[in-house]
């Protein structure tokens, strides 16, 4: 892509993320009690969010199996290609499991819809979904997460695991990226 994006202003601070993660864990912990409970992070964007969730859930006595799946629908830019493919699959067995899928952001909805369907195909008993951010204006596939951190406007954001061209994922907060003048 030829356009150049640079880091813009902060949209959600690290403190606000941490507070919301705490609240979300309180909302979800009663759904994490099954004997065969698996949390699956959708890479790459969910790595930081999942790490914070599982440490907080641990304080509530939740001991999940944890795995990751790498799904790709974006190229190197900010526009979705429209189809989702598995580039690295899970190895944990989800047959008859209660699965909690973790994603960074719900945008068109294609990724989460695809991942949920895939887990059911693999024999999961139940699939719940959790996303840190939601951009409802962008929805193409009608999907709603069971647990949502923040609803945000239709802007491309980075940080806390979300990247632009593999950059900015390390930021402890969520920021906008803006077109370079
Ligand atoms: P969806 O399949 O269109 O819902 O897209 C979901 C995936 O696109 C997310 O898991 C992100 O990896 C990526 N994505 C969507 N919006 C953004 C954004 O604003 N910043 C960074 N990545 C994004
Ligand atoms: Mg993602």
């Amino acid at each position: 892509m030829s356009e150049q994006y640079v880091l813009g202003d902060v949209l959600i601070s690290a403190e606000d993320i941490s507070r919301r993660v705490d609240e979300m864990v309180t909302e979800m912990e009663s759904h994490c009690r099954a004997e065969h409970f698996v949390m699956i992070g959708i890479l790459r964007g969910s790595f930081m969010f999942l790490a914070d969730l599982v440490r907080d859930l641990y304080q509530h006595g939740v001991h999940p199996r944890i795995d990751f799946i790498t799904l790709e629908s974006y190229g190197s830019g900010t526009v979705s290609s429209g189809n989702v493919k598995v580039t690295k699959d899970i190895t944990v067995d989800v047959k008859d499991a209660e699965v909690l899928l973790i994603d960074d952001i719900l945008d068109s909805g294609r990724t989460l819809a695809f991942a949920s369907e895939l887990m059911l195909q693999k024999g999961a008993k139940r699939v719940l979904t959790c996303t840190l951010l939601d951009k409802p204006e962008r929805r193409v596939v009608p999907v709603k997460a069971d647990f949502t951190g923040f609803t945000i406007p239709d802007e491309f954001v980075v940080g806390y695991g979300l990247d632009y061209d593999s950059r900015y994922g390390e930021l402890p907060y969520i920021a906008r990226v803006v077109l370079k003048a």
Side-chain angles (χ1 to χ4, degrees), residues 11-122:
L11 187 63
I12 308 172
S13 70
E15 293 71 25
D16 286 348
I17 293 171
S18 161
R19 209 172 303 126
R20 187 69 190 115
V21 166
D22 260 16
E23 291 172 1
M24 293 179 84
V25 163
T26 306
E27 290 168 29
M28 70 176 63
E29 53 102 5
S30 67
H31 300 273
C32 305
R33 304 275 166 202
E35 174 62 27
H36 191 10
F37 172 63
V38 186
M39 285 177 70
I40 297 177
I42 300 175
L43 292 178
R44 292 165 301 192
S46 73
F47 75 90
M48 208 177 271
F49 183 35
L50 184 135
D52 281 347
L53 285 174
V54 295
R55 280 180 293 191
D56 201 319
L57 281 164
Y58 170 82
Q59 305 297 335
H60 293 256
V62 173
H63 305 290
R65 287 196 170 83
I66 301 170
D67 202 354
F68 293 93
I69 187 167
T70 308
L71 297 178
E72 301 218 334
S73 63
Y74 272 62
S76 58
T78 58
V79 181
S80 172
S81 70
N83 42 42
V84 181
K85 63 171 197 253
V86 180
T87 55
K88 189 181 157 292
D89 208 346
I90 52 169
T91 53
V92 72
D93 185 6
V94 294
K95 183 141 175 40
D96 299 323
E98 307 243 339
V99 171
L100 179 58
L101 281 170
I102 310 297
D103 206 357
D104 52 355
I105 187 164
L106 192 47
D107 189 34
S108 73
R110 290 187 186 101
T111 303
L112 209 55
F114 177 91
S116 301
E117 184 51 39
L118 185 64
M119 293 308 135
L120 292 171
Q121 276 171 24
K122 289 176 184 284

Side-chain angles (χ1 to χ4, degrees), residues 1-8 76-79 156 158 164-168 176-181:
M1 94 161 342
S2 54
E3 293 149 313
Q4 275 295 329
Y5 286 85
V6 292
L7 199 57
S76 58
T78 58
V79 181
F156 200 82
V158 293
Y164 164 64
D165 201 11
S166 303
R167 305 203 71 123
Y168 305 125
R176 297 182 172 90
V177 286
V178 292
L179 209 48
K180 198 171 173 178

